[in-house]
Amino acid sequence: MTNDATAPEQTDGFHLVIDALKLNGIDTIFGLPGIPITDLTRMAQAEGMRVISFRHEQHAGNAAAAAGYLTGKPGICLTVSAPGFLNGLTALANATTNCFPMILISGSSEREIVDLQQGDYEEMDQLAIAKPLCKAAYRVLHAADIGVGIARAIRAALSGRPGGVYLDLPAKLFAQTMDAAAGRASLIKVVDPAPRQIPAPDAVQRALALLKGAKRPLIVLGKGASYARADADIRALVERTGIPYLPMSMAKGLLPDNHEQSASAARSYVLAEADVVMLVGARLNWLLSHGKGKTWGAPAAKQFIQIDIAPTEIDSNVAIAAPLIGDIGSCVSALVAAIDSSHGSNWAPPPPDWLGAIAERKDKNLSKMAATLALNPTPMNFHSALAVIRDAVKARPDAIVVNEGANTLDFARSIVDMYEPRKRLDVGTWGIMGIGMGYSIAAAVITGKPVIAIEGDSAFGFSGMEVETICRYNLPVCVIVFNNNGVYRGTDVNGSGSADVAPTVFVKGARYDKLMEAFGGVGVHATTPAELGKALHEAVASGRPTLINAVIDETAGTESGRITSLNPQSAAKKK
């Protein structure tokens, strides 16, 4: 980096950031170039990193979050300052809530101008804004500290309960130079960023004693169990105890959905009737009705075992009779080992009447669902379209399913079975829309597997422009837009009688497939299950970017999907 052959070799902030990431096994960046990080993206690509450039920072951030979940390494999102940072911040907050390891790296204005509020280009105190919304936030001011800053960000993102981290890099940092040898010496390869946290032996025995004495035990698997990559031990725990299990949506496939112990088809019954519930990587938040209320039946007759790495999660909504604190892999391994050594042949399966009652309800509900899926109404409804996707996923269990929407989400997670772990990505803890294209791009880039994105038309609108990104990188993503002309459905009317359509109604007969065609991908307009099935089969087989505009009966949806109780007006109508 110098013309003087006798001068010591120099390096700069740009290269130190790249070298620090590469040293820690990070080879992919998701982001959007611009001042002051455009040259960083160019240099990173020139140095062999894969740089996936998006049309909007929020979707790049969502991609980084999904990459973190899929790899167990922090996904990296790179943005410009101020507005770009704010766009990425939404994804960072969502990653933290979902416990996905992610690092948002943003260029920023110079500290001396920001602190005096002198009006710099895109001036904003980004560190202060990020701090309340992520797990940790750091700023690096000197090139010699880049290695420390990235090491701290990686460790914070991965250790304990994973989450999002913000790293603030002011523009002047990148151009700073230092001796290259000193620069290399300043970099840190993070050792054991997520160390095992072994559960206390007495906590293991307490949990097993509670399980062994249960009359109606149930295991609930959350996405934390899927992230833990303790697949074999979790399966051993379920099968050796004989206890029915209920997977949350992103834990589907941790054990195949057609496993005989799956209680998904009897969800309402097992949640209400279980007397001992073991939570593995699942939190008693709104998705599980906070562990109380009608969903859970009689509270006095229910006890909880909870495996969680964060002690503060325990008793957050209801009393936890047997907390088991540690990483999921270590906790489940300890349970299995204790069963084998202390209980062994003395471990009795759950009572036959409990298993029989679950089986009876499963058979009834599955038969009812099968009859519904066998119908072929005109136009298609959610069930007839999803039946086609269900068969496609069964034929390609390695495909990754991304799912968002209201009705599209609710129906898909109960209809489309999963067979392998970490193959389903959806809206997660916040239940937000807009994750679809970012998650799809990350899944395709990280795994190289086919991606099937099942999108409501409203949900697709949040990130639809990223189909250009899918085409630009020629990713094996098939987007299926369930087009029913509006939010929930396309039949609402304007109560005032004016010419404006209702707030929930979109352009009738929209051709989303043309959007994919505009960028060189394959667009298909499907009005029947046969057309949908043919297009989906061809898309998965070819690996070409494809968008299927699946026309759905506009009357088929329901207000707010299955969370109508959270919509005050709709809930009031039901009373």
Side-chain angles (χ1 to χ4, degrees), residues 381-456:
N381 61 17
F382 289 100
H383 288 85
S384 60
L386 286 166
V388 173
I389 301 172
R390 172 191 175 106
D391 292 343
V393 173
K394 186 175 183 179
R396 282 297 302 265
D398 62 328
I400 296 176
V401 171
V402 175
N403 187 202
E404 64 174 336
N407 295 280
T408 308
L409 172 73
D410 293 333
F411 287 121
R413 65 186 170 198
S414 61
I415 292 172
V416 178
D417 287 335
M418 306 304 298
Y419 304 92
E420 296 181 6
R422 293 169 294 282
K423 292 296 190 291
R424 178 181 168 84
L425 300 169
D426 65 29
V427 298
T429 305
W430 264 353
I432 63 167
M433 292 195 291
I435 52 87
M437 297 304 97
Y439 281 14
S440 296
I441 291 166
V445 167
I446 295 299
T447 71
K449 298 291 185 180
V451 177
I452 301 171
I454 309 170
E455 300 276 311

Side-chain angles (χ1 to χ4, degrees), residues 441-511:
I441 291 166
V445 167
I446 295 299
T447 71
K449 298 291 185 180
V451 177
I452 301 171
I454 309 170
E455 300 276 311
D457 51 357
S458 176
F460 176 71
F462 284 77
S463 62
M465 192 62 187
E466 299 298 345
V467 298
E468 188 274 334
T469 307
I470 294 171
C471 290
R472 191 179 351 133
Y473 293 99
N474 194 31
L475 299 175
V477 176
C478 178
V479 181
I480 305 170
V481 178
F482 278 51
N483 184 358
N484 65 348
N485 298 326
V487 181
Y488 311 131
R489 53 183 176 264
T491 56
D492 280 6
V493 296
N494 184 339
S496 74
S498 74
D500 290 344
V501 299
T504 56
V505 174
F506 298 152
V507 170
K508 300 285 186 178
R511 294 292 300 272

Side-chain angles (χ1 to χ4, degrees), residues 20-101:
L21 293 174
K22 291 175 68 175
L23 180 64
N24 284 284
I26 295 172
D27 56 11
T28 303
I29 293 173
F30 304 93
L32 199 156
I35 297 172
I37 50 89
T38 305
D39 284 341
L40 181 60
T41 63
R42 294 186 179 117
M43 293 178 187
Q45 189 178 60
E47 293 289 330
M49 298 190 76
R50 192 161 192 196
V51 180
I52 307 298
S53 178
F54 283 69
R55 303 300 291 265
H56 193 284
E57 292 91 349
Q58 182 174 326
H59 312 312
N62 283 330
Y69 171 75
L70 290 170
T71 65
K73 298 187 297 185
I76 305 298
C77 176
L78 185 63
T79 82
V80 301
S81 52
F85 154 78
L86 290 174
N87 289 339
L89 189 60
T90 300
L92 183 69
N94 189 46
T96 304
T97 301
N98 274 314
C99 306
F100 293 167

Side-chain angles (χ1 to χ4, degrees), residues 284 288-297 299 302 304 316-318:
L284 287 174
L288 283 170
S289 302
H290 306 285
K292 48 196 172 186
K294 292 181 180 179
T295 298
W296 290 93
K302 204 173 301 290
F304 289 95
S316 59
N317 273 294
V318 298

